[in-house]
Amino acid sequence: MRSETKRRLKRDRQLYIMLLPVLLFFFIWHYIPMWGARIAFQDMRYIGANEWVGLKHFKMLFSSPVFFRVFMNTVTISTMKIILIFPLPIFLAFSFNELRGSIYRNALQSVIYIPHFLSWVVISGIFISLLASPDGVINQIITLFGGDPVSFMTSTRHIRWVFVFSEAWRSIGWDSILYIAAINSISQGLYDAATVDGASKFQQAMKITLPSIAPTIITMFILNLGFFMNAGFDQVFNMMNDAVINHVDIIDTYVYRVGLTKGNFSLGTAAGLFKGVIGIILILGTDKISRKISGEGVW
């Protein structure tokens, strides 16, 4: 066994060397900072040793009506994004599959990928300009057809939908790349045989494409659930305003506000740690359920 392991290490040494920078990155920026999470159980002091206070900050957190509101906002916005956005890259990949080999497809893909490379500062500026009331393009169109201008960015009724739509515009093109790669790995012979048998495009998609990329879909769904509590700090921080803060304030912005701007690092760390634990439970639980139902999982 040892000789077999050595043989594999020697054979794939170039791949392992290429992997080293990635492992170092995660060790330095993701594993070493975990040591700092201990201040969630301490009263942090700028001079002298921190005092160990156990679950004091977690009790403060869970007894706070503000944190309950922030938690519910996070769950609501994340649920909306998962349900409404997750299927879109799959549908987009299916659509691109029907345009295989065309110049139009390549041009369309390039246009759809561009928003992924824009920062949320730029995207927020674009959406605020488009949705401004009453001078934004969208409100001018509404007015043209006889409607009343809508203050999308300050309306508690519309702001979450603005988050969902802007997130979809930014991410579905880039997220579809993985599904397109999975579809391209399917043997063309299967489609040719299905065409000879008289199967329609819809039947080919349901009987060949969808089952072939099901493991990829399941893996991506589990990974997305792992980031369920990340409702999008950059997006919310740049689009949030005083008029809608009670409806869009999420755990990440709460941690920023309490931990950094107010200097309560222990309480902010407790909130961040709580979010991380939920993410781990979700990804492990979903992986276990997926293995029982379909036999597929992340590991």
Side-chain angles (χ1 to χ4, degrees):
M1 184 65 184
R2 288 182 178 178
S3 59
E4 178 66 17
T5 303
K6 288 181 180 177
R7 190 183 66 79
R8 288 182 178 178
L9 286 172
K10 186 177 180 181
R11 183 193 62 190
D12 301 328
R13 60 185 180 282
Q14 293 176 335
L15 296 177
Y16 287 113
I17 290 172
M18 291 171 64
L19 188 62
L20 272 179
V22 179
L23 294 177
L24 280 173
F25 172 84
F26 276 93
F27 180 74
I28 293 172
W29 298 106
H30 291 267
Y31 283 88
I32 292 178
M34 286 184 186
W35 177 243
R38 71 189 187 282
I39 66 171
F41 304 95
Q42 299 172 334
D43 270 340
M44 185 176 173
R45 296 175 178 171
Y46 293 101
I47 300 175
N50 296 338
E51 181 185 358
W52 187 266
V53 294
L55 299 176
K56 171 188 168 184
H57 297 293
F58 289 96
K59 290 176 181 175
M60 289 172 58
L61 207 61
F62 298 141
S63 62
S64 167
V66 175
F67 183 74
F68 178 74
R69 186 195 69 210
V70 165
F71 175 75
M72 292 308 299
N73 285 341
T74 307
V75 171
T76 302
I77 293 173
S78 295
T79 303
M80 290 173 71
K81 287 183 176 179
I82 286 280
I83 293 175
L84 299 175
I85 297 179
F86 181 78
L88 297 181
I90 302 170
F91 291 135
L92 192 62
F94 272 65
S95 302
F96 281 139
N97 187 47
E98 299 304 318
L99 300 173
R100 186 174 295 185
S102 71
I103 298 175
Y104 174 69
R105 167 184 163 164
N106 296 332
L108 189 60
Q109 279 183 282
S110 301
V111 171
I112 291 177
Y113 295 161
I114 287 175
H116 172 78
F117 299 99
L118 301 178
S119 74
W120 274 112
V121 177
V122 176
I123 294 174
S124 299
I126 293 172
F127 273 83
I128 290 171
S129 299
L130 289 173
L131 301 174
S133 176
D135 300 325
V137 174
I138 303 300
N139 272 312
Q140 287 186 6
I141 294 173
I142 292 174
T143 307
L144 186 66
F145 285 95
D148 296 323
V150 179
S151 183
F152 292 100
M153 301 305 297
T154 57
S155 165
T156 55
R157 182 183 172 189
H158 297 94
I159 189 64
R160 288 174 177 169
W161 294 106
V162 174
F163 285 178
V164 172
F165 184 80
S166 57
E167 176 69 40
W169 179 72
R170 182 178 188 267
S171 63
I172 61 172
W174 186 260
D175 291 348
S176 68
I177 291 176
L178 197 61
Y179 301 113
I180 291 172
I183 290 174
N184 287 340
S185 67
I186 302 171
S187 171
Q188 184 60 36
L190 293 174
Y191 293 103
D192 295 338
T195 303
V196 171
D197 289 340
S200 65
K201 290 290 184 183
F202 181 77
Q203 288 172 325
Q204 291 180 26
M206 292 296 105
K207 299 295 184 181
I208 298 175
T209 310
L210 188 58
S212 299
I213 67 170
T216 305
I217 295 173
I218 292 170
T219 302
M220 292 305 298
F221 183 71
I222 293 172
L223 293 176
N224 272 295
L225 278 185
F227 295 101
F228 178 78
M229 299 302 287
N230 291 340
F233 171 80
D234 292 341
Q235 180 191 33
V236 175
F237 185 77
N238 284 290
M239 290 187 170
M240 185 170 61
N241 55 66
D242 291 340
V244 296
I245 187 171
N246 289 339
H247 288 75
V248 299
D249 192 19
I250 59 174
I251 292 179
D252 285 336
T253 51
Y254 176 82
V255 170
Y256 169 79
R257 192 171 60 253
V258 172
L260 293 181
T261 63
K262 295 184 178 179
N264 196 339
F265 298 106
S266 297
L267 190 61
T269 305
L273 193 60
F274 170 71
K275 190 192 82 169
V277 170
I278 290 181
I280 292 173
I281 292 172
L282 281 174
I283 198 168
L284 292 178
T286 312
D287 180 71
K288 193 171 183 180
I289 293 171
S290 174
R291 285 183 182 281
K292 282 189 177 180
I293 295 175
S294 65
E296 300 289 344
V298 175
W299 297 283

